[in-house]
């Protein structure tokens, strides 16, 4: 069996003396593993770095086998991704999110989103907003999507400022006022009403929002914790917007 696809390197593991098992996110075949012979050579090591875009050819006798990759470089962005904390942590955190999905399950929209985010990780505000949207997309593909388009109580589509922690649906200011202290905030940049750039406060609320639902629906039921890279990314993105910030803490990766 054989196929060819666009892919982004997520990581590698050593295999034997000279080879590696590469983990990639392909556009049409989802997250996929494959053996790369001589993957630890001087020629291949720079190519097999997380964040790089490559073209892969996969071959195996049977579909269920691990198979082998032949890898050709397309966009080698890994060196640039090492220049900022948001990029370093962001690549790791997004890889961990993709590992929550079944292997070989196609998610072409997540592949496309990943490529866009990798090219914007150097800008903390853009990176933070795009990362939150990526988390929302992963939640949706896992079957736990949030409904942020209309009020859960009234059906209104304006002045949506809260999200119900129980239903994951948006709530308007008026409808949510009596329970405001129990609601999660809906960041303006996630609202359908207009274009709002992310700032420190709205990005903090956004990380708190996605962190809450990832913990409730994904991490806690599976008995796992969010990777440390997510907290590192959150801290780096928020600190870039507020350089005086010293510490960030919280079980869901939110700011103190």
């Amino acid at each position: 069996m054989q196929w060819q696809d666009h892919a982004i390197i997520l990581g590698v593991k050593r295999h034997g003396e000279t080879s590696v098992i590469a983990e990639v996110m392909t556009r049409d075949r989802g997250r996929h593993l494959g053996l790369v012979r001589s993957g630890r050579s001087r020629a291949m090591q720079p190519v097999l770095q997380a964040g790089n875009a490559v073209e892969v050819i996969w071959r195996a006798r049977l579909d269920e086998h691990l198979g082998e990759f032949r890898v050709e470089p397309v966009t080698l962005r890994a060196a640039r991704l090492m220049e900022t904390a948001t990029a370093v942590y962001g690549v790791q955190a997004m890889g961990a999110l993709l590992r929550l999905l079944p292997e070989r399950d196609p998610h072409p929209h997540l592949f496309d989103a990943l490529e866009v985010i990798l090219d914007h990780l150097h800008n903390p505000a853009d990176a933070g907003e795009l990362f939150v949207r990526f988390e929302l997309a992963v939640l949706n593909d896992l079957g736990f999507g949030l409904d942020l388009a209309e009020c859960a109580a009234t059906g209104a589509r304006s002045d949506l400022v809260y999200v119900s922690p129980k239903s994951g649906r948006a709530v308007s200011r008026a409808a949510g006022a009596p329970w405001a202290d129990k609601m999660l905030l809906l960041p303006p940049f996630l609202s359908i009403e207009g274009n709002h750039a992310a700032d420190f406060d709205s990005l903090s609320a956004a990380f708190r929002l996605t962190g809450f639902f990832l913990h409730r629906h994904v991490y806690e039921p599976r008995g796992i914790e969010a990777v440390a890279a997510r907290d590192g990314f959150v801290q780096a993105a928020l600190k870039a917007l507020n350089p005086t910030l010293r510490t960030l803490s919280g079980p869901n990766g939110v700011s103190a």
Side-chain angles (χ1 to χ4, degrees):
M1 302 192 66
Q2 176 176 314
W3 52 257
Q4 181 173 349
D5 204 352
H6 301 296
I8 295 171
I9 303 292
L10 298 181
V12 297
K13 293 182 179 179
R14 291 186 177 187
H15 185 82
E17 293 295 323
T18 62
S19 300
V20 300
I21 295 176
E23 181 183 30
V24 303
M25 182 64 181
T26 66
R27 191 180 192 285
D28 298 323
R29 292 168 177 81
R31 186 172 59 85
H32 211 289
L33 302 177
L35 178 70
V36 181
R37 297 194 182 277
S38 300
R40 294 172 60 190
S41 67
R42 290 184 179 181
M44 289 305 301
Q45 281 187 4
V47 176
L48 299 175
Q49 297 296 314
N52 283 343
V54 297
E55 192 78 11
V56 296
I57 297 176
W58 179 84
R59 293 190 182 94
R61 190 168 64 85
L62 297 174
D63 185 61
E64 59 267 25
H65 287 176
L66 172 65
E68 295 185 13
F69 280 144
R70 192 177 75 191
V71 181
E72 296 293 336
V74 176
T75 304
L76 301 184
R77 56 169 71 92
R80 180 167 54 83
L81 293 173
M82 297 297 292
E83 295 176 355
T84 63
T86 50
V88 171
Y89 289 121
V91 172
Q92 298 175 47
M94 286 189 293
L97 285 168
L98 292 171
R99 292 182 187 104
L100 298 172
L101 300 165
E103 188 183 345
R104 304 189 181 190
D105 192 16
H107 298 268
H109 58 291
L110 290 181
F111 175 89
D112 293 339
L114 180 62
E115 280 216 304
V116 171
I117 299 172
L118 287 172
D119 288 330
H120 290 81
L121 282 176
H122 62 283
N123 185 314
D126 290 345
E129 180 175 341
L130 290 169
F131 183 85
V132 165
R133 295 185 185 278
F134 191 78
E135 288 188 316
L136 289 172
V138 171
L139 274 168
N140 186 68
D141 282 22
L142 288 170
F144 306 110
L146 307 187
D147 182 358
L148 307 179
E150 64 179 32
C151 177
T154 66
R157 298 176 66 85
S158 61
D159 202 25
L160 304 177
V161 298
Y162 301 114
V163 177
S164 166
K166 292 185 178 181
S167 66
R169 299 183 62 189
V171 180
S172 68
R173 189 186 309 274
W179 302 277
D181 60 330
K182 297 181 180 179
M183 293 285 185
L184 294 163
L185 294 179
L186 175 59
F189 72 83
L190 292 180
S191 169
I192 65 170
E193 293 186 76
N195 295 322
H196 301 271
D199 57 18
F200 178 85
D201 291 334
S202 63
L203 198 55
S204 297
F207 286 134
R208 187 177 292 112
L209 177 70
T210 53
F212 176 86
F213 287 104
L214 281 167
H215 179 75
R216 166 179 281 188
H217 294 307
V218 184
Y219 300 137
E220 189 174 42
R222 298 187 185 190
I224 60 177
E225 297 288 337
V227 295
R230 183 187 190 268
D231 186 55
F233 177 83
V234 169
Q235 294 191 41
L238 294 180
K239 191 169 185 178
L241 295 177
N242 182 2
T244 63
L245 191 67
R246 291 187 177 181
T247 60
L248 298 166
S249 63
N252 300 320
V254 300
S255 62

PDB file of all heavy atoms in Angstrom, residues 110-132:
ATOM      1  N   LEU A 110      -8.139  21.103  10.669  1.00  0.00           N
ATOM      2  CA  LEU A 110      -7.153  21.283  11.720  1.00  0.00           C
ATOM      3  C   LEU A 110      -5.745  21.368  11.127  1.00  0.00           C
ATOM      4  O   LEU A 110      -4.902  22.125  11.619  1.00  0.00           O
ATOM      5  CB  LEU A 110      -7.223  20.142  12.732  1.00  0.00           C
ATOM      6  CG  LEU A 110      -8.463  20.108  13.629  1.00  0.00           C
ATOM      7  CD1 LEU A 110      -8.369  18.936  14.608  1.00  0.00           C
ATOM      8  CD2 LEU A 110      -8.622  21.418  14.401  1.00  0.00           C
ATOM      9  N   PHE A 111      -5.492  20.621  10.077  1.00  0.00           N
ATOM     10  CA  PHE A 111      -4.203  20.720   9.396  1.00  0.00           C
ATOM     11  C   PHE A 111      -4.013  22.123   8.836  1.00  0.00           C
ATOM     12  O   PHE A 111      -2.957  22.740   9.010  1.00  0.00           O
ATOM     13  CB  PHE A 111      -4.098  19.689   8.276  1.00  0.00           C
ATOM     14  CG  PHE A 111      -2.849  19.822   7.451  1.00  0.00           C
ATOM     15  CD1 PHE A 111      -1.688  19.158   7.829  1.00  0.00           C
ATOM     16  CD2 PHE A 111      -2.821  20.611   6.316  1.00  0.00           C
ATOM     17  CE1 PHE A 111      -0.519  19.287   7.084  1.00  0.00           C
ATOM     18  CE2 PHE A 111      -1.659  20.751   5.564  1.00  0.00           C
ATOM     19  CZ  PHE A 111      -0.508  20.084   5.947  1.00  0.00           C
ATOM     20  N   ASP A 112      -5.056  22.633   8.171  1.00  0.00           N
ATOM     21  CA  ASP A 112      -4.965  23.976   7.594  1.00  0.00           C
ATOM     22  C   ASP A 112      -4.771  25.026   8.686  1.00  0.00           C
ATOM     23  O   ASP A 112      -3.977  25.962   8.529  1.00  0.00           O
ATOM     24  CB  ASP A 112      -6.228  24.291   6.788  1.00  0.00           C
ATOM     25  CG  ASP A 112      -6.360  23.419   5.544  1.00  0.00           C
ATOM     26  OD1 ASP A 112      -5.328  22.869   5.087  1.00  0.00           O
ATOM     27  OD2 ASP A 112      -7.478  23.285   5.024  1.00  0.00           O
ATOM     28  N   ALA A 113      -5.500  24.873   9.792  1.00  0.00           N
ATOM     29  CA  ALA A 113      -5.364  25.814  10.902  1.00  0.00           C
ATOM     30  C   ALA A 113      -3.968  25.749  11.504  1.00  0.00           C
ATOM     31  O   ALA A 113      -3.367  26.777  11.851  1.00  0.00           O
ATOM     32  CB  ALA A 113      -6.415  25.522  11.972  1.00  0.00           C
ATOM     33  N   LEU A 114      -3.432  24.547  11.625  1.00  0.00           N
ATOM     34  CA  LEU A 114      -2.089  24.372  12.183  1.00  0.00           C
ATOM     35  C   LEU A 114      -1.057  25.106  11.338  1.00  0.00           C
ATOM     36  O   LEU A 114      -0.162  25.776  11.880  1.00  0.00           O
ATOM     37  CB  LEU A 114      -1.757  22.878  12.261  1.00  0.00           C
ATOM     38  CG  LEU A 114      -0.391  22.495  12.825  1.00  0.00           C
ATOM     39  CD1 LEU A 114      -0.240  22.962  14.264  1.00  0.00           C
ATOM     40  CD2 LEU A 114      -0.196  20.979  12.731  1.00  0.00           C
ATOM     41  N   GLU A 115      -1.162  25.005  10.033  1.00  0.00           N
ATOM     42  CA  GLU A 115      -0.211  25.700   9.158  1.00  0.00           C
ATOM     43  C   GLU A 115      -0.281  27.208   9.343  1.00  0.00           C
ATOM     44  O   GLU A 115       0.747  27.891   9.397  1.00  0.00           O
ATOM     45  CB  GLU A 115      -0.481  25.335   7.696  1.00  0.00           C
ATOM     46  CG  GLU A 115       0.090  24.007   7.275  1.00  0.00           C
ATOM     47  CD  GLU A 115       0.585  24.022   5.857  1.00  0.00           C
ATOM     48  OE1 GLU A 115      -0.219  24.348   4.963  1.00  0.00           O
ATOM     49  OE2 GLU A 115       1.770  23.708   5.621  1.00  0.00           O
ATOM     50  N   VAL A 116      -1.482  27.744   9.460  1.00  0.00           N
ATOM     51  CA  VAL A 116      -1.643  29.188   9.657  1.00  0.00           C
ATOM     52  C   VAL A 116      -1.027  29.623  10.981  1.00  0.00           C
ATOM     53  O   VAL A 116      -0.283  30.606  11.058  1.00  0.00           O
ATOM     54  CB  VAL A 116      -3.134  29.577   9.603  1.00  0.00           C
ATOM     55  CG1 VAL A 116      -3.319  31.035  10.030  1.00  0.00           C
ATOM     56  CG2 VAL A 116      -3.691  29.362   8.204  1.00  0.00           C
ATOM     57  N   ILE A 117      -1.335  28.876  12.050  1.00  0.00           N
ATOM     58  CA  ILE A 117      -0.842  29.254  13.376  1.00  0.00           C
ATOM     59  C   ILE A 117       0.683  29.186  13.438  1.00  0.00           C
ATOM     60  O   ILE A 117       1.326  30.055  14.023  1.00  0.00           O
ATOM     61  CB  ILE A 117      -1.465  28.354  14.458  1.00  0.00           C
ATOM     62  CG1 ILE A 117      -2.984  28.513  14.468  1.00  0.00           C
ATOM     63  CG2 ILE A 117      -0.914  28.711  15.837  1.00  0.00           C
ATOM     64  CD1 ILE A 117      -3.696  27.539  15.366  1.00  0.00           C
ATOM     65  N   LEU A 118       1.277  28.178  12.833  1.00  0.00           N
ATOM     66  CA  LEU A 118       2.731  28.041  12.866  1.00  0.00           C
ATOM     67  C   LEU A 118       3.433  29.248  12.248  1.00  0.00           C
ATOM     68  O   LEU A 118       4.553  29.590  12.622  1.00  0.00           O
ATOM     69  CB  LEU A 118       3.153  26.765  12.133  1.00  0.00           C
ATOM     70  CG  LEU A 118       2.855  25.455  12.864  1.00  0.00           C
ATOM     71  CD1 LEU A 118       3.129  24.260  11.951  1.00  0.00           C
ATOM     72  CD2 LEU A 118       3.667  25.335  14.149  1.00  0.00           C
ATOM     73  N   ASP A 119       2.764  29.909  11.305  1.00  0.00           N
ATOM     74  CA  ASP A 119       3.351  31.083  10.666  1.00  0.00           C
ATOM     75  C   ASP A 119       3.082  32.366  11.445  1.00  0.00           C
ATOM     76  O   ASP A 119       3.528  33.444  11.030  1.00  0.00           O
ATOM     77  CB  ASP A 119       2.815  31.224   9.238  1.00  0.00           C
ATOM     78  CG  ASP A 119       3.392  30.165   8.306  1.00  0.00           C
ATOM     79  OD1 ASP A 119       4.531  29.728   8.548  1.00  0.00           O
ATOM     80  OD2 ASP A 119       2.698  29.780   7.344  1.00  0.00           O
ATOM     81  N   HIS A 120       2.336  32.286  12.570  1.00  0.00           N
ATOM     82  CA  HIS A 120       2.014  33.482  13.354  1.00  0.00           C
ATOM     83  C   HIS A 120       2.409  33.342  14.824  1.00  0.00           C
ATOM     84  O   HIS A 120       2.054  34.200  15.637  1.00  0.00           O
ATOM     85  CB  HIS A 120       0.519  33.795  13.257  1.00  0.00           C
ATOM     86  CG  HIS A 120       0.091  34.283  11.904  1.00  0.00           C
ATOM     87  ND1 HIS A 120      -0.149  33.422  10.859  1.00  0.00           N
ATOM     88  CD2 HIS A 120      -0.122  35.540  11.428  1.00  0.00           C
ATOM     89  CE1 HIS A 120      -0.505  34.128   9.785  1.00  0.00           C
ATOM     90  NE2 HIS A 120      -0.491  35.398  10.096  1.00  0.00           N
ATOM     91  N   LEU A 121       3.124  32.290  15.171  1.00  0.00           N
ATOM     92  CA  LEU A 121       3.464  32.075  16.574  1.00  0.00           C
ATOM     93  C   LEU A 121       4.438  33.112  17.120  1.00  0.00           C
ATOM     94  O   LEU A 121       4.586  33.253  18.335  1.00  0.00           O
ATOM     95  CB  LEU A 121       4.052  30.675  16.766  1.00  0.00           C
ATOM     96  CG  LEU A 121       3.052  29.515  16.798  1.00  0.00           C
ATOM     97  CD1 LEU A 121       3.787  28.187  16.892  1.00  0.00           C
ATOM     98  CD2 LEU A 121       2.080  29.662  17.961  1.00  0.00           C
ATOM     99  N   HIS A 122       5.109  33.840  16.237  1.00  0.00           N
ATOM    100  CA  HIS A 122       6.063  34.853  16.696  1.00  0.00           C
ATOM    101  C   HIS A 122       5.364  36.091  17.245  1.00  0.00           C
ATOM    102  O   HIS A 122       5.964  36.883  17.961  1.00  0.00           O
ATOM    103  CB  HIS A 122       6.978  35.258  15.544  1.00  0.00           C
ATOM    104  CG  HIS A 122       6.241  35.888  14.398  1.00  0.00           C
ATOM    105  ND1 HIS A 122       5.502  35.139  13.497  1.00  0.00           N
ATOM    106  CD2 HIS A 122       6.089  37.184  14.025  1.00  0.00           C
ATOM    107  CE1 HIS A 122       4.952  35.947  12.601  1.00  0.00           C
ATOM    108  NE2 HIS A 122       5.292  37.189  12.905  1.00  0.00           N
ATOM    109  N   ASN A 123       4.090  36.293  16.899  1.00  0.00           N
ATOM    110  CA  ASN A 123       3.320  37.439  17.385  1.00  0.00           C
ATOM    111  C   ASN A 123       2.411  36.968  18.513  1.00  0.00           C
ATOM    112  O   ASN A 123       1.427  36.265  18.265  1.00  0.00           O
ATOM    113  CB  ASN A 123       2.486  38.043  16.251  1.00  0.00           C
ATOM    114  CG  ASN A 123       1.751  39.304  16.671  1.00  0.00           C
ATOM    115  OD1 ASN A 123       1.129  39.350  17.731  1.00  0.00           O
ATOM    116  ND2 ASN A 123       1.813  40.327  15.852  1.00  0.00           N
ATOM    117  N   PRO A 124       2.691  37.337  19.774  1.00  0.00           N
ATOM    118  CA  PRO A 124       1.952  36.780  20.909  1.00  0.00           C
ATOM    119  C   PRO A 124       0.438  36.994  20.847  1.00  0.00           C
ATOM    120  O   PRO A 124      -0.319  36.088  21.166  1.00  0.00           O
ATOM    121  CB  PRO A 124       2.559  37.506  22.114  1.00  0.00           C
ATOM    122  CG  PRO A 124       3.927  37.870  21.676  1.00  0.00           C
ATOM    123  CD  PRO A 124       3.805  38.198  20.224  1.00  0.00           C
ATOM    124  N   ALA A 125      -0.010  38.193  20.449  1.00  0.00           N
ATOM    125  CA  ALA A 125      -1.449  38.450  20.407  1.00  0.00           C
ATOM    126  C   ALA A 125      -2.124  37.578  19.357  1.00  0.00           C
ATOM    127  O   ALA A 125      -3.145  36.932  19.618  1.00  0.00           O
ATOM    128  CB  ALA A 125      -1.715  39.924  20.122  1.00  0.00           C
ATOM    129  N   ASP A 126      -1.561  37.547  18.143  1.00  0.00           N
ATOM    130  CA  ASP A 126      -2.111  36.695  17.089  1.00  0.00           C
ATOM    131  C   ASP A 126      -2.032  35.227  17.484  1.00  0.00           C
ATOM    132  O   ASP A 126      -2.976  34.461  17.274  1.00  0.00           O
ATOM    133  CB  ASP A 126      -1.359  36.916  15.779  1.00  0.00           C
ATOM    134  CG  ASP A 126      -1.629  38.275  15.167  1.00  0.00           C
ATOM    135  OD1 ASP A 126      -2.602  38.932  15.596  1.00  0.00           O
ATOM    136  OD2 ASP A 126      -0.865  38.688  14.281  1.00  0.00           O
ATOM    137  N   ALA A 127      -0.881  34.833  18.042  1.00  0.00           N
ATOM    138  CA  ALA A 127      -0.685  33.433  18.418  1.00  0.00           C
ATOM    139  C   ALA A 127      -1.704  33.000  19.460  1.00  0.00           C
ATOM    140  O   ALA A 127      -2.280  31.911  19.372  1.00  0.00           O
ATOM    141  CB  ALA A 127       0.735  33.227  18.938  1.00  0.00           C
ATOM    142  N   GLY A 128      -1.932  33.852  20.467  1.00  0.00           N
ATOM    143  CA  GLY A 128      -2.884  33.502  21.517  1.00  0.00           C
ATOM    144  C   GLY A 128      -4.285  33.322  20.993  1.00  0.00           C
ATOM    145  O   GLY A 128      -4.970  32.349  21.316  1.00  0.00           O
ATOM    146  N   GLU A 129      -4.725  34.264  20.166  1.00  0.00           N
ATOM    147  CA  GLU A 129      -6.081  34.180  19.619  1.00  0.00           C
ATOM    148  C   GLU A 129      -6.242  32.957  18.726  1.00  0.00           C
ATOM    149  O   GLU A 129      -7.240  32.219  18.823  1.00  0.00           O
ATOM    150  CB  GLU A 129      -6.398  35.454  18.832  1.00  0.00           C
ATOM    151  CG  GLU A 129      -7.793  35.464  18.232  1.00  0.00           C
ATOM    152  CD  GLU A 129      -8.145  36.777  17.570  1.00  0.00           C
ATOM    153  OE1 GLU A 129      -7.486  37.794  17.867  1.00  0.00           O
ATOM    154  OE2 GLU A 129      -9.103  36.784  16.769  1.00  0.00           O
ATOM    155  N   LEU A 130      -5.271  32.713  17.857  1.00  0.00           N
ATOM    156  CA  LEU A 130      -5.351  31.563  16.965  1.00  0.00           C
ATOM    157  C   LEU A 130      -5.293  30.251  17.739  1.00  0.00           C
ATOM    158  O   LEU A 130      -5.983  29.281  17.395  1.00  0.00           O
ATOM    159  CB  LEU A 130      -4.220  31.625  15.939  1.00  0.00           C
ATOM    160  CG  LEU A 130      -4.338  32.725  14.887  1.00  0.00           C
ATOM    161  CD1 LEU A 130      -3.036  32.855  14.104  1.00  0.00           C
ATOM    162  CD2 LEU A 130      -5.500  32.460  13.945  1.00  0.00           C
ATOM    163  N   PHE A 131      -4.482  30.215  18.787  1.00  0.00           N
ATOM    164  CA  PHE A 131      -4.371  29.006  19.599  1.00  0.00           C
ATOM    165  C   PHE A 131      -5.706  28.683  20.282  1.00  0.00           C
ATOM    166  O   PHE A 131      -6.125  27.523  20.335  1.00  0.00           O
ATOM    167  CB  PHE A 131      -3.275  29.177  20.648  1.00  0.00           C
ATOM    168  CG  PHE A 131      -3.035  27.958  21.495  1.00  0.00           C
ATOM    169  CD1 PHE A 131      -2.191  26.955  21.062  1.00  0.00           C
ATOM    170  CD2 PHE A 131      -3.656  27.814  22.728  1.00  0.00           C
ATOM    171  CE1 PHE A 131      -1.963  25.819  21.836  1.00  0.00           C
ATOM    172  CE2 PHE A 131      -3.436  26.689  23.508  1.00  0.00           C
ATOM    173  CZ  PHE A 131      -2.595  25.687  23.065  1.00  0.00           C
ATOM    174  N   VAL A 132      -6.379  29.705  20.813  1.00  0.00           N
ATOM    175  CA  VAL A 132      -7.682  29.494  21.447  1.00  0.00           C
ATOM    176  C   VAL A 132      -8.673  28.934  20.434  1.00  0.00           C
ATOM    177  O   VAL A 132      -9.436  28.000  20.732  1.00  0.00           O
ATOM    178  CB  VAL A 132      -8.202  30.808  22.048  1.00  0.00           C
ATOM    179  CG1 VAL A 132      -9.692  30.709  22.376  1.00  0.00           C
ATOM    180  CG2 VAL A 132      -7.419  31.165  23.309  1.00  0.00           C
TER     181      VAL A 132
END
